[in-house]
Amino acid sequence: MIDFYAMGSPNVVKVYIALEELGLPYAVHPVDVFGGQQFDAAFLRLNPSAKVPVIVDSEGPGGKPYTVFESGAILLYLAEKTGKLLPADAGARYETIAWLFWQVGGVGPMFGQVGFFYKFAGREYEDKRPLERYRDESKRLLAVLDRRLEGRDWVMGADYTIADISLLGWVRNLIGFYEARELVAFDQLAQVPGWLERGLARPAVQRGLRIPRVERK
């Protein structure tokens, strides 16, 4: 059994989807981040950085409970634990991990800033240069993904991997919850919209997106 500490952010959605894709048994423990529950001493013992997602695998290395935080690390851990969603070939494996790190280091932070400056408190700022910077960088990242998907169904070609899982929730959030579809010229992309549609059509992805989460009150 995997204990999953979660709420509803795109980084948490990655783990929901991976658990559903892999068919692993898990129990969800909602964390009220809006109420500050992530700063409780019990949670800080799981993740000193006070962020979700976190998993605790009751059958970790050596058969002992093992805690993993950071969404990219969790995806990699689950893929290696099951031998799925990550190529066995060393070259393809590291290429998949590179795309995973690309999402963690670039897509997540940039798309998140677009959300802040376009939809949330940042939209009230008189200086629009931060929004313009994050908009332009998000468009660049989408263009990189678009080129990568030319002639491919998934980031790694025919095989759906943790690289796709890491990206699906963020791209969905950008054009949906953040309402930035026109801002980033999403419909001008040639490949990404079809990739997103294929991903969201997967039954495990649909299940992952339907799981109840802690919402802002």
Side-chain angles (χ1 to χ4, degrees):
M1 175 63 69
I2 290 177
D3 290 300
F4 179 27
Y5 296 83
M7 43 86 74
S9 73
N11 281 334
V12 174
V13 164
K14 300 177 194 175
V15 182
Y16 274 117
I17 293 172
L19 289 167
E20 290 290 338
E21 291 280 7
L22 294 168
L24 292 170
Y26 64 97
V28 177
H29 304 277
V31 178
D32 183 5
V33 299
F34 304 118
Q37 189 180 357
Q38 72 273 31
F39 299 111
D40 291 352
F43 187 80
L44 289 173
R45 285 194 289 270
L46 299 175
N47 184 358
S49 190
K51 291 183 179 293
V52 290
V54 177
I55 65 167
V56 180
D57 183 2
S58 62
E59 297 182 356
K64 299 178 180 179
Y66 189 72
T67 301
V68 188
F69 59 89
E70 290 295 325
S71 61
I74 294 171
L75 290 187
L76 188 55
Y77 175 84
L78 293 174
E80 292 191 328
K81 175 183 176 71
T82 60
K84 299 176 181 179
L85 299 175
L86 188 64
D89 172 76
R93 179 177 181 274
Y94 282 108
E95 189 176 6
T96 305
I97 293 171
W99 282 103
L100 172 64
F101 285 7
W102 177 79
Q103 182 281 308
V104 170
V107 168
M110 294 300 105
F111 287 14
Q113 293 292 350
V114 167
F116 176 79
F117 285 101
Y118 187 64
K119 181 173 181 177
F120 299 113
R123 66 184 176 184
E124 305 298 333
Y125 294 3
E126 184 176 349
D127 187 349
K128 299 304 178 185
R129 286 174 296 179
L131 172 59
E132 292 169 0
R133 162 167 167 67
Y134 294 123
R135 175 203 65 197
D136 292 347
E137 179 61 6
S138 294
K139 290 175 71 174
R140 186 191 73 81
L141 290 165
L142 285 169
V144 171
L145 180 58
D146 209 54
R147 290 193 297 271
R148 173 64 183 184
L149 289 168
E150 289 179 4
R152 295 180 172 92
D153 286 338
W154 308 108
V155 171
M156 290 302 297
D159 295 327
Y160 172 83
T161 68
I162 56 174
D164 299 285
I165 292 174
S166 74
L167 286 158
L168 283 169
W170 275 109
V171 176
R172 174 180 178 266
N173 226 50
L174 180 68
I175 65 170
F177 184 60
Y178 294 160
E179 302 172 352
R181 190 183 195 106
E182 293 185 10
L183 182 74
V184 299
F186 183 79
D187 293 314
Q188 294 181 22
L189 297 165
Q191 311 299 331
V192 174
W195 163 86
L196 180 62
E197 184 177 355
R198 286 191 294 277
L200 295 180
R202 294 178 67 90
V205 174
Q206 294 176 17
R207 291 194 301 272
L209 293 173
R210 284 198 302 265
I211 295 174
R213 303 174 182 91
V214 174
E215 302 293 347
R216 186 186 297 272
K217 297 179 180 178

